[in-house]
Amino acid sequence: MRIRSLGVIDDAVVELSPGFTAVTGETGAGKTMVVTSLGLLLGGRADPALVRIGAKAAVVEGRIALRPGATAAIRAEEAGAELDEGALLVSRTVSAEGRSRAYLGGRSVPNGVLAEIADELVAVHGQTDQQGLLRPARQREALDRYAGDAVAGPLAKYAEAYRRLRAVAGELEELTTRARERAQEADLLRFGLDEIAAVEPLAGEDVELAAEAERLGHAEALASAAALAHSALAGNPEDPESVDATTLVAGAHRALEAVRSHDPALAALAERIGEVGILLGDVAGELAGYADDLDADPLRLAAVEERRAALTALTRKYGKYGDDMAAVLDWAQRGAARLTELDGDDDRIGELAAERDGLRRELSVLAQELTDARTEAAARFADAVTAELASLAMPHARVSFAVRQVEDAEGVEVGGRTVAYGPTGADEVELLLAPHPGAPARPIAKGASGGELSRVMLAVEVVFAGTDPVPTYLFDEVDAGVGGRAAVEIGRRLAKLAKSAQVVVVTHLPQVAAFADRQLLVEKTNDGSVTRSGVTVLEGEDRVRELSRMLAGQEDSETARAHAEELLATARAES
């Protein structure tokens, strides 16, 4: 892993070997930046405050070896990444302005993709995780994670049923609390639909009636005009001397017909005049029929106007300005559908209530399954952690889990009691510690000293490590507050864990560092930065000097050197 312009680190390369790697150095030298760098590669939050003063951006690059067919490799290839001889190249850039970019196998990817892959690659356990495990909610999560499929299966079913119950209960509450509003809405819809049904409007009827009213209102003028036009075209039977257009055109046609054989042009004109005569005859006939059919009945006009008024009233109420009868009919259709929906609310309320009761019964069964699975896993988990504590110089300590429920009349039934429930079941889980025989089991936050708490947390993490599929574990000073024999046991336990996985430990304890397969020293230069040469692999005499410094604060102390050499000899003898 190469780190540039991150915190106190100017430019440094960190090589993490297989097995157990210990990262050591003076306080403030930048050891934690190694953890921070790895966190950035794993999709962690990018903080611009980490960028070294004067630099434009911090850059972390890493090369991670992957097992063939690993889930992380498959996910990386799905994201467009290319593997380099079975290894994955990862890069993360954080600008001083706060912008962050991630690259995976040469392809730019969202930070979330790095986080997805990280879950398959590295488990990070630090002081933040340690404090988090003091919270009961995190302890329940830890227990569920340890239990595996025994809890994951029913928990997934429970979570789905719980989400459905919340949705059903919400809809049911809305329907019941808004009953008055829905009843008022239904009454208004019924009134409107009844009013429209009483009129029985037809599509386009208002347009047709408007035209008929216009015709009936001017019936006398229309009849007079039609009669005058007919007389002009076909003559007045009561006035034999009158001249009409039909007679005149017929005379013109006869005149041209008599001579049409002498000139084709004149023959064509004769034909056109003949057509005019035919057209005049047709129009005259239609005028006569129009006058005969014209209805001047004032009663009909009154009926039409009354009908129009009824339709207009509907348009004003159920349409918009300028709308026709189609808008009213559309409102009636939508109103009828909505009324059916509202009228069905009572049935819906009954259906929802029945579904709610069924879901509560289902949750009771699933919550009981969760409680049983957690109780069984809690016993195994507690025994495993207790065994680990014995190897961490706490041979008489015992760890247990309290899996309990809180009674609530509105809850679900578990174990014959009605108890409170939530999105993860009905259980409250708390990790308890009895540090010595005869001591009461108390919550670990209250029942453990600083050193004991660190060992309990490490034991918990080691037990987790046995169930986690990830190949790398990073421990960031989880040995804080520990010393003496307990520190030696922690180093021994981490070395044992490193036989089956890659283990990286940031530590200030020489007893822990001595058990490492490789020890890295992080140290600043005179200007307060960590350069490329500031992260070195310690071997031989250099490692003895660093362990002496960690033991006594004096690199050349003969007593400290002897103790350092003894620690290394002990660790090598047990490896």
Side-chain angles (χ1 to χ4, degrees):
M1 181 168 61
R2 184 178 183 184
I3 309 166
R4 288 179 288 171
S5 302
L6 185 71
V8 298
I9 299 181
D10 179 26
D11 191 343
V13 174
V14 180
E15 292 188 27
L16 305 177
S17 69
F20 182 4
T21 299
V23 181
T24 64
E26 294 277 7
T27 301
K31 301 187 299 297
T32 301
M33 285 297 103
V34 175
V35 180
T36 302
S37 300
L38 190 56
L40 287 173
L41 288 184
L42 301 178
R45 187 178 68 88
D47 185 355
L50 296 173
V51 179
R52 185 170 173 77
I53 297 174
K56 294 183 179 179
V59 180
V60 183
E61 300 167 304
R63 185 176 188 272
I64 304 174
L66 298 177
R67 292 191 293 262
T71 304
I74 297 173
R75 181 65 186 93
E77 290 176 341
E78 289 175 351
E82 295 183 3
L83 300 183
D84 179 20
E85 298 180 353
L88 188 61
L89 300 179
V90 187
S91 176
R92 185 82 180 275
T93 301
V94 182
S95 72
E97 291 79 21
R99 292 188 299 274
S100 170
R101 292 184 178 179
Y103 298 90
L104 189 65
R107 177 65 62 88
S108 177
V109 296
N111 292 335
V113 175
L114 296 186
E116 289 180 35
I117 292 177
D119 290 340
E120 306 292 333
L121 296 177
V122 181
V124 180
H125 305 299
Q127 292 183 6
T128 301
D129 305 271
Q130 190 179 103
Q131 294 301 316
L133 275 172
L134 297 179
R135 300 195 301 269
R138 285 292 301 277
Q139 293 171 15
R140 182 201 45 77
E141 293 173 6
L143 178 60
D144 288 354
R145 175 176 149 207
Y146 176 81
D149 292 340
V151 166
L155 182 58
K157 296 178 182 177
Y158 178 94
E160 179 60 31
Y162 181 81
R163 284 192 294 270
R164 178 57 188 161
L165 177 60
R166 291 289 300 272
V168 168
E171 184 179 354
L172 185 59
E173 181 178 2
E174 181 182 3
L175 288 177
T176 52
T177 56
R178 294 184 57 229
R180 178 177 298 179
E181 296 176 16
R182 295 196 322 275
Q184 292 174 346
E185 182 183 358
D187 287 343
L188 289 174
L189 287 172
R190 287 192 188 92
F191 178 83
L193 292 171
D194 289 345
E195 192 172 19
I196 294 173
V199 177
E200 297 182 346
L202 300 175
E205 181 183 5
D206 50 344
V207 177
E208 296 176 0
L209 289 175
E212 185 178 0
E214 184 71 14
R215 185 169 63 252
L216 290 173
H218 299 83
E220 293 184 4
L222 293 173
S224 176
L228 183 60
H230 180 268
S231 177
L233 293 178
N236 187 350
E238 298 179 357
D239 184 8
E241 301 296 329
S242 63
V243 178
D244 59 84
T246 302
T247 301
L248 293 175
V249 170
H253 184 255
R254 286 193 300 272
L256 294 180
E257 281 292 322
V259 296
R260 62 177 295 168
S261 59
H262 303 303
D263 187 353
L266 197 62
L269 291 173
E271 289 181 4
R272 292 171 62 188
I273 291 176
E275 293 173 358
V276 170
I278 295 172
L279 181 59
L280 285 175
D282 290 343
V283 172
E286 291 184 17
L287 285 171
Y290 176 83
D292 292 339
D293 294 340
L294 187 63
D295 187 1
D297 184 0
L299 295 178
R300 174 56 185 167
L301 177 59
V304 168
E305 292 295 353
E306 182 179 355
R307 179 66 174 175
R308 289 187 66 202
L311 296 178
T312 301
L314 292 181
T315 304
R316 288 173 179 170
K317 284 187 177 182
Y318 308 107
K320 295 181 181 178
Y321 179 77
D323 282 348
D324 56 15
M325 194 49 54
V328 175
L329 296 174
D330 179 64
W331 183 94
Q333 183 178 10
R334 289 184 289 107
R338 174 60 176 162
L339 183 59
T340 300
E341 179 181 337
L342 292 173
D343 286 342
D345 278 352
D346 290 340
D347 294 337
R348 180 60 177 160
I349 288 174
E351 293 172 359
L352 289 172
E355 184 177 3
R356 177 201 59 196
D357 295 341
L359 287 168
R360 287 173 66 88
R361 288 191 294 271
E362 181 181 355
L363 283 180
S364 293
V365 173
L366 292 171
Q368 184 68 64
E369 289 185 31
L370 286 173
T371 297
D372 294 342
R374 284 172 176 152
T375 301
E376 189 276 333
R380 290 189 291 109
F381 192 12
D383 289 344
V385 173
T386 298
E388 288 295 332
L389 288 177
S391 66
L392 292 174
M394 293 179 66
H396 303 297
R398 288 205 58 81
V399 167
S400 60
F401 268 102
V403 181
R404 50 180 175 259
Q405 302 81 35
V406 177
E407 293 192 5
D408 184 347
E410 300 297 324
V412 296
E413 185 174 333
V414 176
R417 298 184 301 147
T418 302
V419 299
Y421 66 101
T424 58
D427 303 316
E428 291 185 356
V429 175
E430 192 165 29
L431 186 60
L432 307 176
L433 171 68
H436 53 82
R442 302 179 63 193
I444 56 173
K446 301 176 180 178
S449 65
E452 289 173 337
L453 180 60
S454 292
R455 280 178 280 174
V456 171
M457 289 298 110
L458 180 58
V460 168
E461 301 298 358
V462 169
V463 170
F464 276 151
T467 60
D468 273 346
V470 295
T472 299
Y473 300 92
L474 174 62
F475 294 92
D476 180 17
E477 296 192 15
V478 294
D479 50 13
V482 177
R485 180 187 171 193
V488 174
E489 295 298 336
I490 288 175
R492 184 178 286 119
R493 191 63 191 86
L494 289 171
K496 182 179 178 181
L497 176 62
K499 294 183 182 299
S500 59
Q502 182 184 38
V503 176
V504 181
V505 178
V506 177
T507 182
H508 67 284
L509 293 181
Q511 297 94 329
V512 172
F515 280 88
D517 300 307
R518 169 180 289 185
Q519 184 172 348
L520 299 179
L521 174 63
V522 181
E523 57 184 347
K524 296 180 181 178
T525 59
N526 291 333
D527 65 357
S529 66
V530 178
T531 63
R532 180 182 296 271
S533 61
V535 181
T536 56
V537 179
L538 299 179
E539 296 179 347
E541 180 63 21
D542 291 335
R543 188 170 185 186
V544 173
R545 286 173 59 86
E546 170 62 8
L547 289 176
S548 298
R549 181 200 63 77
M550 296 172 72
L551 280 165
Q554 301 176 12
E555 299 175 354
D556 298 324
S557 167
E558 291 300 325
T559 303
R561 287 177 58 83
H563 191 183
E565 290 173 351
E566 182 182 358
L567 280 175
L568 286 172
T570 300
R572 288 168 183 161
E574 296 184 8
S575 62

